[in-house]
Amino acid sequence: MISFEMNDRKKIGLGLTGFGIFFSFLGIIFFFDKGLIAMGNILFLSGVTLTIGLKSSMQFFMKRSNFKGTISFGVGFFLVVIGWPVLGMILEAYGFIVLFSGFWPTLVVFLQKIPFLGWVFQQPYVRSFFDRYRGKRVPV
């Protein structure tokens, strides 16, 4: 049975993931600074690996349906490291969207339950936009 308890390894993983997103954001703000973006990528990937485990992360990234996203994220990371941060971030963003596209409907349901922000996502015109993907939710 899968354990959903929050142990120290998962706490560190979530922290690394958060810092990875923060450093990537800073790298974009500071005119695509390749050092900050590369550090953000390393922290994000190590955080995801620590949070869900090495075996689960390898299965996730090597799944046949996620292979296109993994390749584009990896090539984007390589382009950031060699000094082309704008093109690298474009490829990484595409890979991120392809990799985590199955989680967007679950995220929308979560956002609809937040007290003040949920009101925006429960409006009819916004709700009809997201209802198209309701059947594709990932079981969490």
Side-chain angles (χ1 to χ4, degrees):
M1 183 171 161
I2 298 175
S3 172
F4 291 112
E5 67 184 28
M6 186 63 81
N7 57 16
D8 288 339
R9 184 179 52 90
K10 289 181 184 179
K11 290 177 187 176
I12 293 170
L14 288 174
L16 288 175
T17 303
F19 277 120
I21 292 170
F22 177 69
F23 276 106
S24 295
F25 177 72
L26 278 181
I28 293 169
I29 293 296
F30 291 137
F31 301 112
F32 292 96
D33 181 39
K34 69 177 181 177
L36 286 173
I37 294 173
M39 191 181 316
N41 289 336
I42 292 169
L43 289 171
F44 177 76
L45 288 177
S46 61
V48 168
T49 303
L50 277 176
T51 303
I52 65 174
L54 182 63
K55 183 179 178 183
S56 297
S57 60
M58 290 299 288
Q59 288 175 348
F60 175 74
F61 287 112
M62 296 300 166
K63 199 180 335 179
R64 188 163 178 84
S65 61
N66 293 344
F67 203 61
K68 185 167 54 169
T70 302
I71 293 294
S72 62
F73 191 84
V75 169
F77 177 71
F78 177 72
L79 289 176
V80 166
V81 170
I82 66 169
W84 293 349
V86 176
L87 185 60
M89 282 302 294
I90 291 171
L91 274 174
E92 284 181 6
Y94 173 73
F96 186 82
I97 290 170
V98 170
L99 277 172
F100 296 103
S101 63
F103 296 106
W104 300 128
T106 305
L107 179 66
V108 169
V109 170
F110 171 74
L111 289 174
Q112 285 177 346
K113 295 181 188 239
I114 295 176
F116 295 106
L117 187 63
W119 178 80
V120 174
F121 286 96
Q122 291 176 359
Q123 296 301 313
Y125 50 91
V126 177
R127 191 180 189 106
S128 66
F129 177 74
F130 289 117
D131 278 345
R132 288 185 279 175
Y133 304 107
R134 187 66 55 121
K136 299 179 184 179
R137 276 189 59 201
V138 175
V140 176

